[in-house]
């Protein structure tokens, strides 16, 4: 159910409510002080398993939102910092999924977005964190501003996690068609991008064999269709080690066959790929290169994010 939330000032402005009808602040503070750690524990558990249940994290956001707002209103600095730290964990989870950043986050300089800088508690320099800290001042205006900021942030997080749930659903549908495809669900960062038939030239025999290629956010898989109707994997190639070589792009006078071919270079296996047309080849080359670029950048951020998360937990 949806309930309308009151601001700090709106309670005193509502007609028909007298001072005797208000719940004493000390009673509310005592209740929150006695129970906040239960909510904190529930949120932590949900964050630990967020990659398995993005929908659960989406629902848990409301618990975090109202817990943080309560500590802001009641000037509970220790509890407020604890819930703000959990909000940082949610933001790290979203960043590592490669989801779109907020406008304010895009304005942060390249130095601040580097892994080493983020590891030094850079979130404390973020605008949203400073405004929440400013709410500790004994001013209704600063508290209301902080509450509005928190509400806006959580609305954006809800939208991002709805996209994440959609990506997770696509992964489940695709992996059901791949034999033993459930192992692909083990990585919480992975999501499905595209699939299609391409011809692979065998390096040893020189034969051309058609395979089904599945492009994920972190790897490229090729498989053949079995007599049972599912796809049996032949090779899994991590993208961060991959390079695409398209000779036809540098040689406009190349033959028709070369115009629709490209090379996949990888430490595990390298081979030539033939597409049905130069147009299809160009799309595959563009999509794979884009996925490689995003995966390399994600890998570069990941270690820094882990260090930052560990540093946050030690505070």
């Amino acid at each position: 159910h949806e309930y309308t939330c009151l601001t700090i000032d709106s309670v005193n402005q509502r007609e028909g409510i007298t001072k005797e009808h208000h719940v004493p602040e000390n009673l509310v503070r005592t209740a929150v002080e006695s129970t906040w750690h239960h909510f904190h524990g529930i949120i932590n558990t949900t964050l630990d398993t967020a990659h398995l249940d993005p929908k659960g994290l989406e629902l848990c956001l409301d618990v975090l939102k109202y817990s943080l707002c309560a500590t802001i209103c009641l000037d509970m600095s220790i509890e407020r910092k604890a819930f703000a730290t959990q909000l940082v964990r949610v933001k790290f989870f979203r960043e590592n999924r490669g989801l779109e950043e907020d406008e304010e986050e895009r304005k942060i300089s390249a130095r601040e977005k580097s892994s080493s800088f983020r590891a030094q508690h850079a979130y404390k320099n973020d605008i949203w964190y400073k405004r929440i800290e400013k709410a500790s001042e004994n001013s209704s205006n600063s508290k209301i501003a902080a509450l509005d900021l928190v509400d806006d942030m959580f609305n954006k997080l809800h939208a991002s996690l709805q996209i994440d749930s959609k990506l997770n659903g696509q992964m489940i549908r695709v992996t059901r068609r791949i034999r033993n495809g459930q192992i692909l669900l083990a990585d919480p960062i992975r999501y499905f991008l595209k699939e299609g038939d391409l011809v692979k030239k065998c390096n040893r025999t020189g034969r051309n064999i058609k395979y089904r290629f599945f492009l994920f956010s972190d790897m490229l898989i090729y498989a053949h269709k079995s007599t049972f109707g599912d796809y049996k994997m032949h090779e899994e190639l991590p993208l961060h080690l991959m390079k695409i070589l398209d000779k036809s792009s540098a040689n406009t006078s190349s033959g028709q066959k070369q115009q629709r071919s490209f090379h996949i270079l990888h430490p595990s296996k390298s081979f030539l790929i033939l597409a049905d047309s130069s147009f299809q080849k160009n799309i595959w080359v563009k999509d794979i290169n884009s996925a490689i670029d995003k995966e390399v950048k994600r890998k570069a951020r990941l270690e820094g994010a882990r260090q930052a998360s560990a540093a946050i937990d030690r505070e």
Side-chain angles (χ1 to χ4, degrees):
H1 298 282
E2 295 292 334
Y3 295 94
T4 303
C5 297
L6 302 179
T7 63
I8 297 173
D9 291 336
S10 63
V11 174
N12 295 324
Q13 295 172 356
R14 179 167 289 192
E15 296 181 0
I17 298 181
T18 63
K19 191 173 182 179
E20 288 74 17
H21 291 97
H22 292 175
V23 178
E25 182 179 336
N26 291 338
L27 179 60
V28 176
R29 181 184 300 276
T30 301
V32 175
E33 287 177 345
S34 301
T35 60
W36 75 271
H37 59 280
H38 294 295
F39 296 106
H40 188 268
I42 292 171
I43 296 167
N44 266 341
T45 301
T46 305
L47 285 169
D48 290 339
T49 59
H51 60 285
L52 300 175
D53 185 18
K55 188 65 178 179
L57 177 58
E58 184 183 345
L59 297 174
C60 193
L61 282 182
D62 288 334
V63 179
L64 177 55
K65 173 182 175 180
Y66 295 122
S67 298
L68 181 57
C69 288
T71 57
I72 291 173
C73 292
L74 295 172
D75 294 322
M76 301 171 66
S77 60
I78 296 176
E79 294 83 354
R80 183 187 69 245
K81 289 181 179 179
F83 288 118
T85 297
Q86 291 182 322
L87 178 55
V88 173
R89 289 188 62 189
V90 175
K91 290 172 73 64
F92 276 146
F93 175 81
R94 187 193 62 169
E95 288 176 5
N96 289 331
R97 289 290 291 184
L99 299 175
E100 186 178 358
E101 297 174 340
D102 296 339
E103 184 64 29
E104 289 180 352
E105 291 173 338
R106 285 195 288 267
K107 294 178 182 178
I108 298 176
S109 67
R111 179 181 69 88
E112 291 176 334
K113 294 295 286 183
S114 67
S115 298
S116 59
F117 190 88
R118 294 296 291 183
Q120 299 297 322
H121 316 302
Y123 70 93
K124 291 184 178 180
N125 295 322
D126 290 347
I127 296 176
W128 68 269
Y129 190 85
K130 290 180 178 179
R131 288 181 182 173
I132 291 177
E133 284 297 293
K134 188 177 180 181
S136 61
E137 301 175 2
N138 191 18
S139 166
S140 294
N141 290 333
S142 64
K143 288 182 174 60
I144 292 173
L147 293 176
D148 289 339
L149 175 64
V150 169
D151 182 65
D152 182 63
M153 287 180 63
F154 276 89
N155 286 338
K156 292 177 180 177
L157 285 172
H158 268 296
S160 295
L161 290 175
Q162 286 172 359
I163 296 174
D164 192 62
S165 296
K166 181 179 179 180
L167 295 175
N168 190 56
Q170 289 178 337
M171 275 292 297
I172 293 174
R173 288 191 294 271
V174 170
T175 54
R176 284 174 179 169
R177 296 161 45 220
I178 301 174
R179 186 175 299 181
N180 299 322
Q182 63 271 16
I183 62 174
L184 298 172
L185 299 174
D187 191 335
I189 307 301
R190 182 176 298 127
Y191 57 92
F192 172 72
L193 292 174
K194 67 177 296 181
E195 64 178 292
D197 291 330
L198 294 170
V199 174
K200 171 184 172 292
K201 185 174 183 178
C202 182
N203 293 328
R204 185 175 56 184
T205 65
R207 290 193 307 160
N208 293 335
I209 304 176
K210 181 178 286 189
Y211 288 102
R212 189 72 171 181
F213 281 75
F214 296 88
L215 178 61
F216 296 91
S217 58
D218 65 332
M219 69 168 55
L220 180 68
I221 293 174
Y222 63 91
H224 78 273
K225 195 166 188 177
S226 71
T227 55
F228 298 100
D230 61 349
Y231 288 97
K232 184 178 180 181
M233 287 186 285
H234 277 256
E235 199 74 44
E236 303 174 27
L237 304 174
L239 293 180
H240 70 284
L241 300 174
M242 184 181 294
K243 184 177 180 181
I244 301 298
L245 181 60
D246 182 14
K247 293 184 178 180
S248 64
S249 62
N251 185 9
T252 55
S253 62
S254 57
Q256 183 178 0
K257 188 174 183 179
Q258 190 171 353
Q259 285 288 338
R260 57 187 182 90
S261 66
F262 63 95
H263 284 82
I264 291 180
L265 306 179
H266 197 277
S268 299
K269 205 162 191 176
S270 299
F271 46 85
L272 178 71
I273 290 293
L274 292 171
D276 290 337
S277 64
S278 60
F279 176 76
Q280 186 188 47
K281 182 264 298 185
N282 290 334
I283 293 177
W284 271 100
V285 169
K286 179 182 176 182
D287 291 342
I288 296 175
N289 277 329
S290 176
I292 291 173
D293 183 61
K294 290 180 181 179
E295 175 63 6
V296 169
K297 290 179 180 178
R298 187 191 69 83
K299 284 281 187 180
R301 293 197 313 262
L302 190 57
E303 186 59 30
R306 285 175 178 169
Q307 293 176 4
S309 181
I312 292 168
D313 290 338
R314 289 196 296 268
E315 288 188 344

